[in-house]
Amino acid sequence: MSKIDILVVQNILPEQMAVLDRTYALHRYDQVQDKAALLGQVADKVRGVVTTGGKGFAAALLEQLPKLEIVASSGVGTDTIDVAACKARGVPVTNTPDVLNDDVADLGIGLIISALRQMPKGHEYVRSGEWAKYGMMGFTSTLTGKTLGIVGLGRIGKELARRAEALKMRIAYTGRSRQAVDYDFHETVNELAKASDVLALTCPGGEATRNLIGPKELEALGSKSWLVNLSRGSVVDEPALIKALREGTIRGAALDVYANEPHVSPALSNQPNVVLYPHHSSGSIETRTAMSQLVVDNLAAHFAGKPLLTPLS
Ligand code: 8YV
């Protein structure tokens, strides 16, 4: 029996790619220069797509794949995938929720500690010899007793809250609705920003949240508070953030995501009051392996006629 044809829009980890390679006929759209020529040869037999949240899957490509049955993506975010177009065609999309919650929440805590306790500055202070030259570094800020406002108390937001509770922070949140949790709920981002010492973004990206954090929200957050973005660059009006950092409208920011990745505006990266991470909060080998495995398992379930493990609802 001939193998099922899969288009690889973006590869997953090598071990799981090897499994896919043994099981399916893989067509490496990610590797070929002449993508149109590859599609000319295989488009009408492709039944599955493998991609990632970073690379996504556009409606223009969907239209060229008449036999497509499933899109399996590595990553929880689906803002780069035209889910509506897939749905309209009856093509299910799977992502990789839950397996990355702990890593992303851990990184969130790491960013908060890095920003408030100025860890990158401390690192440089030792390495550059400034410590020996000038003595004690300037004071930093405590986390204890500060309020962490979480925008989007979903699976990742809840893990972040649990960890922050252990660090004796107070937790507040906003989101589509009030939840059965013991944290303060605020109806709007603006109100939450006013109440927060650290405002952390863990909401999904996409059009619904584009520029959710703009000049007004940054103003509400205020000169004694920090912004932490674990979500998507699109959630923050980046020029407004740069202005707020430059003018001291907010105290600082710790960021894993940016407007135009991987090209981070020097106007942002050169600010002294930012801590930067290269969109890598799920980037541990353990978590990326689990994400890749979910891609493999979802494809296997689909082609075996079994229920998908993690379909988008
Ligand atoms: C990945 C992410 O870096 O899961 C997500 O939505 O942003 C990250 O875990 C990304 O998906 C890699 O493609």
Side-chain angles (χ1 to χ4, degrees), residues 42-161:
V42 303
D44 60 0
K45 52 182 185 173
V46 166
R47 294 173 60 194
V49 156
V50 168
T51 189
T52 64
K55 195 54 90 175
F57 183 64
L61 187 50
L62 173 70
E63 280 163 22
Q64 296 178 71
L65 304 172
K67 303 249 171 63
L68 188 66
E69 295 171 29
I70 180 166
V71 174
S73 177
S74 176
V76 67
T78 53
D79 49 306
T80 53
I81 300 174
D82 199 327
V83 178
C86 290
K87 203 172 172 190
R89 264 268 306 272
V91 175
V93 177
T94 64
N95 65 342
T96 60
D98 291 324
V99 293
L100 44 62
N101 296 349
D102 288 328
D103 266 6
V104 177
D106 286 351
L107 201 275
I109 293 295
L111 287 177
I112 295 170
I113 298 178
S114 291
L116 273 65
R117 303 304 310 276
Q118 299 191 24
M119 287 179 72
K121 186 175 170 186
H123 181 87
E124 266 320 298
Y125 204 71
V126 176
R127 185 143 72 179
S128 66
E130 282 177 85
W131 186 22
K133 214 161 148 189
Y134 304 118
M136 186 185 78
M137 188 176 97
F139 291 120
T140 66
S141 298
T142 190
L143 278 74
T144 305
K146 289 212 167 50
T147 298
L148 172 65
I150 299 178
V151 178
L153 195 69
R155 292 179 274 221
I156 293 170
K158 287 200 175 88
E159 286 298 335
L160 183 65

Side-chain angles (χ1 to χ4, degrees), residues 52-55 74-77 96 100 231-232 279 281-282 288 291:
T52 64
K55 195 54 90 175
S74 176
V76 67
T96 60
L100 44 62
S231 163
R232 286 290 180 264
H279 194 155
S281 64
S282 69
R288 286 291 164 85
M291 291 162 71

